Structures are given as structure tokens and as C-alpha cells.
């Protein structure tokens, strides 16, 4: 009886290790999801400086806006595991990754504002200043 319980525990642990490995390699547990294609950003946006200071008020506002507009796909912690994420053809990204944090604030602003493919455009829907607050908040997802 004890040996059977140990085998079940070891099997479960092995499964978790495999799932963790797959997630780290692909960024997604869903093998059907494609990895995003490179997303070029025009130089004028890439080089933009964030005009909004990342203070407590900005982070609080950014969190509220992120939860309302982004978390359903990108997840509460920016891991790409929101409730709508599994319905997407393309993995929505891991905002805690080094690759994400290597982008400039201007790149994040551009992608958030204009979107592409399954990522909606927020141009004319969310004011630029609010998008900058969301950029500040997304910066808190670093590992």
C-alpha cells in the first residue's frame, strides 16, 4: 500500500516536472498555440520615453486598467494564462520574461496601443496617458 502511494506521488511529481519543462521551453502549456512572430516597432515609438513617472499612484491606476483590459488574455501576473488565453491561436506572451523586459517602454506602448492579429487595438479607446500607466504596471511583472 505504501509503495503504491509512493509511486503515485512520484508519477505526479514527474508530470509536474515535464509540464514545467514544456512551459519553460514554449512559454505555453497548450502545444496547439503558436509562438508569436517578431513584432517590429517603428523607431519613433521604440525610442519614445515614458512621460508618466512609475510612482505608487501610476502603478495603482495601471493595475486597475490592466485588470480591466489585459488580464483576461495575459493573466493576472502577466504569464499569458488569462481565462481567454486558451482560446487564442497564438500564445499571448509572458510579461515576466527577460525578452519582455528587454523591450523599451515605447515598444510596449506601441504594441498596447495599436495591437495586431488577436491583440486588439486600443487606439481611441484608452487614452495614451492610461496606456503609459499600464506600461508602468507591466514592468512590475519581472521574475
Amino acid at each position: 500500500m505504501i509503495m503504491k502511494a509512493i509511486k503515485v506521488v512520484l508519477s505526479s511529481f514527474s508530470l509536474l516536472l515535464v509540464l514545467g519543462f514544456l512551459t519553460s521551453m514554449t512559454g505555453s502549456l497548450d502545444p496547439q498555440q503558436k509562438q508569436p512572430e517578431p513584432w517590429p516597432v517603428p523607431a519613433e515609438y521604440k525610442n519614445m520615453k515614458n512621460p508618466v513617472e512609475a510612482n505608487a499612484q501610476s502603478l495603482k491606476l495601471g493595475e486597475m486598467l490592466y485588470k480591466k483590459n489585459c488580464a483576461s488574455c495575459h493573466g493576472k501576473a502577466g504569464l499569458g494564462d488569462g481565462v481567454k488565453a486558451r482560446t487564442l491561436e497564438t500564445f499571448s506572451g509572458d510579461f515576466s520574461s527577460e525578452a519582455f523586459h528587454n523591450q523599451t517602454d515605447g515598444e510596449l506602448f506601441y504594441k498596447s496601443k495599436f495591437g495586431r492579429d488577436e491583440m486588439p487595438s486600443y487606439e481611441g479607446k484608452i487614452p495614451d496617458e492610461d496606456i503609459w500607466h499600464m506600461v508602468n504596471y507591466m514592468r512590475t511583472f519581472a521574475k
Side-chain angles (χ1 to χ4, degrees), residues 78-100:
L79 299 176
D81 60 351
V83 294
K84 291 183 181 177
R86 64 182 72 83
T87 67
L88 302 174
E89 289 182 24
T90 305
F91 178 56
S92 62
D94 178 353
F95 293 176
S96 69
S97 72
E98 183 178 348
F100 178 83

Side-chain angles (χ1 to χ4, degrees), residues 3 28 31 33 45 49 68 76 79 105 113 122 138:
M3 290 305 289
S28 171
Q33 281 187 320
Y45 285 94
K49 299 295 179 206
K68 178 181 178 186
K76 291 179 184 175
L79 299 176
D105 282 0
K113 180 172 180 160
Y122 288 107
M138 289 186 286

Side-chain angles (χ1 to χ4, degrees), residues 25-87:
M25 295 304 292
T26 66
S28 171
L29 284 176
D30 185 349
Q32 302 300 315
Q33 281 187 320
K34 300 181 294 187
Q35 289 300 303
E37 296 291 323
W39 192 342
V41 173
E44 66 184 278
Y45 285 94
K46 188 173 185 172
N47 298 322
M48 278 181 127
K49 299 295 179 206
N50 188 335
V52 177
E53 182 184 349
N55 57 30
Q57 182 180 354
S58 172
L59 295 177
K60 185 175 182 173
L61 182 55
E63 178 181 17
M64 180 192 72
L65 291 161
Y66 176 89
K67 286 179 177 178
K68 178 181 178 186
N69 298 290
C70 311
S72 62
C73 292
H74 295 290
K76 291 179 184 175
L79 299 176
D81 60 351
V83 294
K84 291 183 181 177
R86 64 182 72 83
T87 67

